[in-house]
Amino acid sequence: EKQKLLPELNLGYSNQSIQGNGADNVLYAKSYRFNSVQFGIGVPLFFGSQKGKINSSKTLELISENNYQIGLQSLKTEYEAAYKNYLTQLQTVKYFEETALQNANTITKTANQQFTNGDINYLEWTMLINNAATIQSNYTDAVKELNQSIIQLNYLTSK
């Protein structure tokens, strides 16, 4: 757009032949060649609209840069939140694997032994087994949430 404000230079060259009578009633042979050169300068007279286009292009460039920076910052913030979520889910899964699942197995073994020995009744045994099953179910949910956070991180890093 800035170049449209500059003068425009035109240069042309023409080479042709005429056979027969020309405009000046002279007989020309086929081998006779006519050459011409043309030169011109185009000077823009009205600058207002062109300057307006230049200014609007600068403004659009600034808007695009700002939108890019906003998108980049948003992506960084979203990545940081997803990474924190991943670390939280990883700690939860580690807790289940190191402590809670072992406790669930201990509860199940103890409940089965006590029920077999007659130390507890069926209702107490059912409640203990239900607690162990709940711990195992929560572990499965924690692994699922960990996998979801990993998928989210992979998605954000591929953008």
Side-chain angles (χ1 to χ4, degrees), residues 14-153:
S14 176
N15 184 348
Q16 65 182 15
S17 66
I18 299 175
Q19 182 179 5
N21 283 336
D24 56 356
N25 287 328
V26 177
L27 183 62
Y28 293 102
K30 232 198 268 189
S31 61
Y32 193 81
R33 307 293 292 174
F34 294 94
N35 298 312
S36 66
V37 176
Q38 184 178 9
F39 180 76
I41 296 176
V43 179
L45 297 177
F46 304 106
F47 299 105
S49 67
Q50 201 60 35
K51 286 185 178 183
K53 288 179 183 179
I54 292 170
N55 290 337
S56 69
S57 296
K58 287 179 184 178
T59 304
L60 287 174
E61 184 179 352
L62 289 174
I63 290 171
S64 296
E65 178 64 27
N66 286 340
N67 287 341
Y68 170 75
Q69 291 299 330
I70 289 169
L72 187 62
Q73 186 62 35
S74 174
L75 184 62
K76 285 180 182 178
T77 304
E78 192 175 348
Y79 178 80
E80 289 172 3
Y83 187 70
K84 287 178 184 177
N85 184 35
Y86 163 75
L87 292 177
T88 302
Q89 296 302 326
L90 185 63
Q91 290 298 325
T92 303
V93 168
K94 282 184 181 180
Y95 164 75
F96 275 105
E97 289 175 346
E98 294 171 358
T99 306
L101 288 178
Q102 293 173 1
N103 290 345
N105 289 337
T106 304
I107 291 170
T108 302
K109 287 180 186 176
T110 305
N112 286 337
Q113 287 175 352
Q114 288 180 346
F115 183 69
T116 304
N117 294 337
D119 295 337
I120 59 173
N121 62 23
Y122 182 74
L123 180 60
E124 292 170 332
W125 177 83
T126 304
M127 288 176 23
L128 290 171
I129 296 298
N130 187 30
N131 287 342
T134 301
I135 291 171
Q136 291 171 343
S137 175
N138 289 343
Y139 169 71
T140 304
D141 291 340
V143 169
K144 176 187 161 224
E145 290 298 320
L146 176 64
N147 288 337
Q148 290 293 331
S149 65
I150 291 170
I151 289 169
Q152 182 67 19
L153 281 175

